[in-house]
């Protein structure tokens, strides 16, 4: 699929992503999508020691890679705009991607991993069937990688991104966006929402939008390949392996139609008061001056005193653990070697430092 996609892009002189009308090109394209491990801001290659035990502002990463060019759009998800990492978010990002970065292909091949909470669920299947029924694509195949072999193009692009991220001082989301764009020619940054509360990529309630007229595919987790086409609306053809026979499933209830229009947009949760206080009190001192009010804004209610400092309590636990381990080592309670164990047992029993066990062991 990747080889054919590269050949199609070369023949049609497609070198970059852009916004195109659905089904405006009679071609087949291949896309892969996945989540990456989140990053924290502010980030500094010369990490200050005290921030090691803290939890800075979190940013999620979701990538959709067009492997024919190749280019990957990396969605930067601020924790204030993180509604979920489930099917609602995955479908919203894919829908936004096809609307703003799609090549306008008629036929699509999709690849992803087997995470049931994000990708391998009935809502993603209904979304693919809905796009075909609405004429946004002529056919869609949804393919899941073999468990244990899920390293693919998005991980390559994430690796380039993380390498640049670790080499630069990244105090805020605006700088993170530049780091992603300049990390490699394959990476493109797309912000989900700004730190001031502005939303650029809405997350919609697709689960409620599809509820009522669809039914799930029984035992769908044992299948790896799903196909949807305009000639059979409301149907999905499944296969356990690439070379096995297809089985048809009706996922649209008899006499029902797919819903028109768009789903309801969900409101971002924002930062809780406790999280605002934590960032303001613990993380703000490590943020560069121009970005303090954007990354760690002043909360409506300031922290009362140091007794409410979660980080301080965690540091006390760590210090007490280290002191306890040091004390145990001084008393001989640590792991010994050979005959030294007898000496440790003797000291535990209250014997003087020069005591030696008479046991032959």
């Amino acid at each position: 699929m990747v080889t054919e996609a590269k050949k199609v892009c070369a023949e049609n002189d497609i070198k970059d992503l852009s916004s195109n009308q659905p089904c405006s090109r009679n071609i087949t394209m291949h896309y892969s999508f996945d989540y990456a491990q989140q990053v924290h801001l502010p980030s500094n290659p010369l990490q200050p020691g005290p921030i090691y035990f803290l939890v800075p502002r979190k940013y999620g990463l979701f990538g959709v890679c067009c492997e024919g060019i190749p280019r990957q759009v990396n969605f930067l998800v601020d924790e204030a705009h993180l509604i979920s990492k489930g099917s609602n978010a995955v479908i919203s990002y894919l829908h936004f991607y096809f609307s703003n970065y799609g090549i306008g292909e008629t036929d699509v091949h999709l690849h992803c991993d087997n995470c049931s909470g994000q990708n391998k669920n009935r809502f993603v299947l209904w979304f693919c069937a809905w796009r075909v029924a609405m004429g946004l694509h002529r056919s869609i195949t949804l393919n899941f990688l073999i468990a244990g072999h899920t390293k693919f193009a998005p991980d390559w692009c994430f690796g380039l991104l993380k390498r640049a991220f670790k080499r630069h001082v990244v105090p805020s989301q605006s700088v993170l966006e530049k780091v992603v764009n300049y990390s490699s020619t394959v990476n493109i940054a797309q912000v989900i929402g700004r730190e001031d509360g502005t939303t650029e990529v809405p997350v919609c309630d697709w689960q409620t939008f599809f509820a009522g007229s669809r039914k799930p595919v029984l035992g769908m987790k044992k299948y790896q390949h799903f196909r949807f086409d305009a000639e059979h609306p409301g149907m999905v053809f499944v296969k356990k392996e690439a070379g096995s026979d297809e089985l048809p499933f009706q996922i649209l209830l008899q006499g029902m139609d797919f819903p028109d229009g768009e789903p309801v947009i969900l409101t971002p949760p924002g930062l809780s008061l406790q999280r605002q206080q934590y960032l303001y009190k613990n993380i703000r001192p490590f943020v560069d001056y121009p970005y303090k009010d954007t990354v760690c804004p002043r909360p409506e209610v300031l922290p009362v005193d140091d007794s409410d400092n979660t980080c301080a309590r965690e540091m006390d636990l760590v210090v007490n653990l280290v002191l306890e381990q040091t004390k145990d080592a001084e008393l001989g309670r640590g792991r010994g070697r050979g005959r030294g164990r007898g000496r440790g047992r003797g000291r535990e029993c209250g014997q003087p430092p020069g005591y030696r066990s008479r046991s032959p062991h």
Side-chain angles (χ1 to χ4, degrees):
M1 290 179 181
V2 175
T3 302
E4 290 296 327
K6 292 181 178 179
K7 182 179 178 180
V8 167
C9 289
E11 292 175 351
N12 293 270
D13 195 26
I14 302 174
K15 298 181 180 180
D16 209 344
L17 299 176
S18 60
S19 179
N20 295 276
Q21 292 296 323
C23 296
S24 57
R25 287 175 173 162
N26 188 19
I27 59 175
T28 302
M29 191 47 56
H30 180 264
Y31 300 94
S32 300
F33 59 93
D34 193 16
Y35 271 103
Q37 186 179 12
Q38 65 184 7
V39 297
H40 296 85
L41 299 185
S43 175
N44 192 333
L46 303 176
Q47 184 185 54
I51 203 174
Y52 179 82
F53 297 99
L54 305 179
V55 183
R57 190 155 179 160
K58 295 175 283 188
Y59 286 83
L61 295 173
F62 179 82
V64 183
C65 182
C66 176
E67 299 193 43
I69 302 177
R71 291 288 187 278
Q72 174 164 305
V73 176
N74 299 278
F75 293 87
L76 311 180
V77 190
D78 182 13
E79 64 174 297
H81 294 266
L82 179 62
I83 297 177
S84 73
K85 290 185 66 175
S87 57
N88 277 337
V90 171
I91 296 174
S92 298
Y93 302 155
L94 287 176
H95 187 62
F96 183 88
Y97 178 90
F98 285 127
S99 301
N100 296 271
Y101 296 98
I103 297 177
E105 65 283 330
T106 55
D107 304 284
V108 175
H109 296 307
L110 298 175
H111 261 93
C112 57
D113 60 23
N114 295 271
C115 181
S116 59
Q118 299 169 356
N119 309 323
K120 203 169 190 179
N121 54 67
R122 60 184 185 272
F123 301 107
V124 175
L125 296 186
W126 293 341
F127 170 70
C128 295
W130 173 79
R131 288 192 65 88
V132 172
M134 295 294 105
L136 301 177
H137 285 109
R138 189 170 59 191
S139 69
I140 297 177
T141 64
L142 181 61
N143 308 278
F144 295 91
L145 297 168
I146 300 174
H149 300 270
T150 57
K151 296 298 182 184
F152 56 141
D155 295 295
W156 162 54
C157 298
F158 289 142
L160 297 173
L161 186 158
K162 292 292 185 69
R163 184 177 65 179
F165 178 80
K166 292 178 180 179
R167 294 178 177 179
H168 292 81
V169 176
V170 188
S172 68
Q173 187 185 65
S174 59
V175 180
L176 175 62
E177 186 178 2
K178 295 179 181 179
V179 170
V180 172
N181 287 327
Y182 288 101
S183 62
S184 175
T185 56
V186 301
N187 281 323
I188 301 173
Q190 173 60 60
V191 176
I192 298 295
R194 298 291 176 182
E195 294 157 329
D196 59 0
T198 306
T199 300
E200 297 190 5
V201 180
V203 176
C204 302
D205 190 2
W206 291 93
Q207 297 181 1
T208 304
F209 182 69
F210 290 132
S213 59
R214 265 71 45 205
K215 58 182 181 180
V217 177
L218 298 178
M220 65 169 296
K221 292 186 179 180
K222 63 183 179 182
Y223 300 108
Q224 296 296 109
H225 305 275
F226 301 81
R227 182 175 64 86
F228 311 83
D229 60 60
E231 297 179 358
H232 305 87
M235 294 283 296
V236 57
F237 299 88
V238 302
K239 294 191 297 184
K240 290 184 178 180
E241 298 176 357
S244 60
D245 297 331
E246 286 186 336
L247 298 176
F249 279 92
Q250 182 73 32
I251 60 175
L252 188 64
L253 294 177
Q254 193 69 25
M256 301 294 291
D257 295 325
F258 282 98
D260 295 328
E262 296 287 338
V264 177
I265 297 177
L266 299 174
T267 303
L271 295 174
S272 64
L273 179 60
Q274 182 180 5
R275 183 62 174 157
Q276 292 179 26
Q277 294 176 343
Y278 180 89
L279 293 175
Y280 183 80
K281 189 169 186 178
N282 300 291
I283 306 301
R284 187 182 174 94
F286 300 98
V287 182
D288 294 342
Y289 179 75
Y291 308 102
K292 288 182 180 290
D293 293 331
T294 56
V295 178
C296 304
R298 180 185 178 91
E300 298 178 359
V301 180
L302 293 175
V304 179
D305 53 25
D306 292 338
S307 62
D308 295 333
N309 190 348
T310 305
C311 174
R313 292 196 297 270
E314 295 177 352
M315 288 291 293
D316 290 341
L317 292 175
V318 173
V319 172
N320 292 335
L321 179 62
V322 173
L323 292 177
E324 184 178 351
Q325 293 176 348
T326 304
K327 184 178 180 181
D328 290 345
E330 292 176 353
L331 293 177
R333 296 177 184 174
R335 290 183 297 176
R337 294 183 180 179
R339 298 180 180 180
R341 295 180 180 179
R343 185 184 304 174
R345 287 196 298 269
R347 296 185 65 180
E348 283 186 2
C349 298
Q351 300 296 336
Y355 173 82
R356 286 182 176 271
S357 173
R358 297 180 180 273
S359 171
H361 302 292

